[in-house]
Amino acid sequence: MAKYYITTPIYYITDKPHIGTAYTTVISDIIARWHRLCGDDVFFLTGTDEHGEKVQKASERAGMQPKEFADTMASKFSSAWKEYNITNDAFIRTTDRQHESIVAEFIKKLYDAGDIYKGEYEGWYCTPDETFLTELQLKDGKCPECGREVKKVKEESYFFRLSKYQDKLLELYDKNPLFISPKFRSGEIINRVKGGLKDISVTRTTIKWGITFPEDSNHTIYVWVDALVNYISALQWPDGGNMRFWPADAHIIGKEIAWFHTVIWPAMLFSAGIDAPKKIFSHGWWTVEGRKMSKSLGNMVDPIELKNKYGVDAIRYYFAREMPFGDDSDFSEKNLIARINGELVDDLGNLVYRSLTLAERFNGRIKGAPELDKGLDVEHIKTLMDNLDTFNAIEEIWSQVRRTNKYINEKQAWKLNGEELGSVIYNILESIRIISVLIGPFMPETAEKIRAQLGVDKQDISHCKFSDFNGRIKKEGHLFNKIEKTQGMNA
Ligand code: MSP
């Protein structure tokens, strides 16, 4: 049994979940479920990033102690993910005692390796992004990433010798061309590394809400160092049993945090003598109705409201279907409704409904030669999913949905009877059975409803080929309901 370890970023608790964080989590869940379907031993991790200046300030604004504030906010994430049927095996919080002690042990290891030294940091800091910035990096005096105000910082700090790892990093990228995925994102990062690396500040004296630096208690560990270590602290590094899942097979992240994951994280791991993860996959960003999603614009989309309105599987499907592999995409409710009505109600819902109506009325033998297997390439879908290409994989599955609808029409199934009808129904039901297995990771509730209506046992990827149909049909109502235009939030 192959092991598969997949992670999401751990989310800042200053915001409640929005469609950006929900998207990353859903896509990662789809991949985790897919690997379970393929029989892999999966560990899927998500969690919350709870230390640092930003949280310290937010808790002050809320009139709460940071930990109390963190408890309230972290539970918003864990409960949202439950509502989204997320199957994470663990939920890490950076305020967990175990995490805190592992971070201290980890940084001590870098210190003992001679990779940490004391100095003074003088430069800029973007609190919303918790990022140190040089004068040159600023764009019109603001943070180049989020466009917000930065502040001048001058304080004593310990530094990590990132510069020492330039060659090792370049060697890593060279040996593992897919380490920075998708490939089109790698050029910029590799060029920056080739251009030379500066040592980075890894402790702060002015921020108290953090893990104490073990070598000097006046310092707390920089929140990004603390956060990155979550990927191994959740496995109880150094010798916990779950370390068998390391190296991670995929860290799924948004493109804005690629530098931390593809440069700083592997360099720290090298310093600690730990293998680098296998792949860092950066997905694109959602805009909302053509505009950047932000609190100040007041256009944050709440995933719970969305789900309550349209159903969890519709949103999971939309996430996978709408955003091309690694690219940016625009969220619009109009689009979402169009997909629900066109693809879920008309394509899939109708297919299942009319097929089961045909099958229920038929009392002959459901048997025949496979015809609808042509064009269905499960190996290809597997390859796409191995490449984390959920977008093209769901597209490929949908081709089979369309092909099956077309087959019913072409055969004019409603005009047939006897053996001929038995054979057509056989093909349709086998196709639907396989579709239900393949869509399981994307739309688990819908897959389960179809399986129950077909009256077949639980299945995995090895069952995705045409064989005898052994179900006991129990037709129910429609899988999805049409959304009227006026029902949309802003439609
Ligand atoms: N705490 C850090 C990550 C530490 S990981 C060791 C962080 N947190 S965050 O709350 O800001 O979450 C960032 C992640 O949310 C992004 O990497 C991305 O996965 C997701 N998204 C946030 N906004 C997004 C969009 N508008 N669109 C798509 N995903 C985005 O950074």
Side-chain angles (χ1 to χ4, degrees):
M1 204 193 230
K3 68 92 190 164
Y4 193 81
Y5 180 30
I6 180 166
T7 66
T8 73
I10 48 171
Y11 304 114
Y12 288 131
I13 48 165
T14 39
D15 278 333
K16 57 181 190 169
H18 51 67
I19 54 162
T21 46
Y23 171 76
T24 317
T25 314
V26 165
I27 291 295
S28 306
D29 184 60
I30 292 172
I31 299 162
R33 284 176 179 265
W34 178 268
H35 278 272
R36 291 194 200 103
L37 194 70
C38 293
D40 293 345
D41 183 14
V42 174
F43 195 86
F44 170 26
L45 178 70
T46 188
T48 41
D49 191 352
E50 305 184 3
H51 289 128
E53 183 168 348
K54 185 169 146 132
V55 173
Q56 185 175 306
K57 290 212 160 120
S59 66
E60 279 162 16
R61 279 195 301 271
M64 288 163 119
Q65 288 302 316
K67 179 65 167 78
E68 187 192 352
F69 176 75
D71 289 346
T72 320
M73 294 304 290
S75 70
K76 290 197 197 299
F77 282 86
S78 50
S79 70
W81 303 157
K82 277 198 188 84
E83 293 203 43
Y84 264 81
N85 287 326
I86 302 300
T87 55
N88 51 302
D89 296 286
F91 187 94
I92 183 136
R93 297 183 53 189
T94 53
T95 52
D96 290 342
R97 276 280 165 76
Q98 177 170 275
H99 170 81
E100 293 185 342
S101 67
I102 290 178
V103 171
E105 197 178 337
F106 179 87
I107 203 151
K108 187 154 190 322
K109 191 128 190 168
L110 311 198
Y111 188 86
D112 291 344
D115 283 344
I116 292 198
Y117 62 90
K118 196 171 175 175
E120 188 177 56
Y121 176 78
E122 188 171 1
W124 299 90
Y125 195 79
C126 169
T127 309
D129 285 352
E130 298 281 14
T131 313
F132 293 98
L133 296 161
T134 63
E135 184 82 39
L136 279 177
Q137 282 175 300
L138 301 186
K139 215 164 134 193
D140 303 326
K142 302 216 166 117
C143 170
E145 194 56 60
C146 68
R148 285 173 284 197
E149 296 291 334
V150 289
K151 64 171 185 186
K152 191 126 204 172
V153 173
K154 187 175 179 195
E155 63 188 45
E156 183 186 277
S157 180
Y158 285 85
F159 286 81
F160 169 63
R161 291 188 204 281
L162 182 64
S163 56
K164 180 174 153 188
Y165 292 98
Q166 180 182 17
D167 291 345
K168 260 199 115 165
L169 286 166
L170 292 172
E171 192 188 315
L172 170 73
Y173 310 146
D174 198 43
K175 280 198 184 140
N176 307 282
L178 292 177
F179 176 76
I180 307 175
S181 280
K183 192 99 190 74
F184 66 82
R185 290 212 193 277
S186 65
E188 198 187 320
I189 291 174
I190 296 174
N191 282 339
R192 235 177 107 184
V193 175
K194 279 186 180 153
L197 291 169
K198 282 214 171 68
D199 293 347
I200 56 162
S201 182
V202 290
T203 68
R204 304 209 46 194
T205 50
T206 49
I207 302 305
K208 294 295 164 219
W209 180 235
I211 302 171
T212 306
F213 179 49
E215 299 301 324
D216 183 341
S217 59
N218 287 328
H219 290 246
T220 53
I221 296 170
Y222 172 42
V223 62
W224 263 100
V225 172
D226 166 355
L228 287 163
V229 175
N230 92 87
Y231 300 130
I232 54 170
S233 74
L235 304 179
Q236 292 97 35
W237 177 80
D239 42 26
N242 280 335
M243 274 307 281
R244 70 193 163 86
F245 286 102
W246 193 259
D249 294 270
H251 287 321
I252 310 291
I253 58 166
K255 62 180 181 180
E256 84 289 1
I257 52 175
W259 181 260
F260 286 101
H261 283 81
T262 58
V263 180
I264 297 176
W265 178 225
M268 290 190 332
L269 287 166
F270 288 146
S271 171
I274 305 169
D275 287 342
K278 291 189 193 157
K279 189 184 274 192
I280 312 291
F281 178 81
S282 312
H283 63 69
W285 265 49
W286 289 99
T287 48
V288 174
E289 316 274 352
R291 302 208 303 171
K292 193 175 167 176
M293 181 170 65
S294 79
K295 269 205 227 165
S296 50
L297 288 174
N299 63 349
M300 306 294 281
V301 181
D302 181 339
I304 301 302
E305 265 177 46
L306 266 189
K307 175 230 140 206
N308 289 343
K309 191 152 192 192
Y310 299 107
V312 64
D313 277 6
I315 309 300
R316 290 177 63 111
Y317 173 78
Y318 177 80
F319 280 160
R321 196 64 204 271
E322 187 70 31
M323 186 178 268
F325 188 51
D327 280 341
D328 292 338
S329 200
D330 187 48
F331 172 86
S332 96
E333 223 168 329
K334 212 164 137 203
N335 251 336
L336 168 64
I337 295 174
R339 287 206 184 270
I340 295 177
N341 288 345
E343 291 153 27
L344 298 182
V345 178
D346 292 344
D347 293 350
L348 181 65
N350 272 346
L351 169 65
V352 172
Y353 193 82
R354 67 176 173 154
S355 304
L356 294 193
T357 308
L358 264 180
E360 215 175 36
R361 286 199 197 127
F362 179 66
N363 42 27
R365 283 188 71 192
I366 299 180
K367 197 173 173 3
E371 292 178 324
L372 260 174
D373 57 341
K374 289 167 200 74
L376 170 66
D377 190 347
V378 176
E379 281 310 310
H380 179 51
I381 298 172
K382 260 177 134 170
T383 308
L384 290 170
M385 289 301 285
D386 281 345
N387 292 336
L388 311 176
D389 189 352
T390 47
F391 176 78
N392 282 307
I394 189 71
E395 169 60 30
E396 195 64 34
I397 298 168
W398 232 252
S399 310
Q400 183 67 10
V401 173
R402 287 193 221 102
R403 211 176 287 128
T404 311
N405 269 321
K406 194 161 163 240
Y407 175 85
I408 303 179
N409 297 344
E410 280 174 2
K411 291 279 178 186
Q412 302 199 321
W414 54 93
K415 290 188 182 163
L416 303 176
N417 48 40
E419 262 182 41
E420 223 180 342
L421 180 57
S423 165
V424 167
I425 292 178
Y426 159 76
N427 270 284
I428 302 168
L429 293 184
E430 273 298 272
S431 179
I432 292 177
R433 179 184 64 76
I434 294 169
I435 289 167
S436 79
V437 181
L438 296 173
I439 62 169
F442 296 82
M443 295 188 278
E445 289 183 2
T446 306
E448 181 52 33
K449 281 186 196 158
I450 303 177
R451 192 190 67 75
Q453 293 194 43
L454 290 174
V456 292
D457 294 337
K458 273 221 154 53
Q459 316 200 334
D460 60 36
I461 200 81
S462 66
H463 300 102
C464 288
K465 44 183 175 275
F466 276 62
S467 70
D468 293 341
F469 179 74
N470 286 321
R472 299 190 67 188
I473 307 292
K474 279 180 276 185
K475 189 171 144 253
E476 300 280 343
H478 291 277
L479 291 173
F480 299 96
N481 296 318
K482 266 230 153 96
I483 311 283
E484 300 303 330
K485 266 229 157 92
T486 48
Q487 277 176 260
M489 295 205 276
N490 312 306

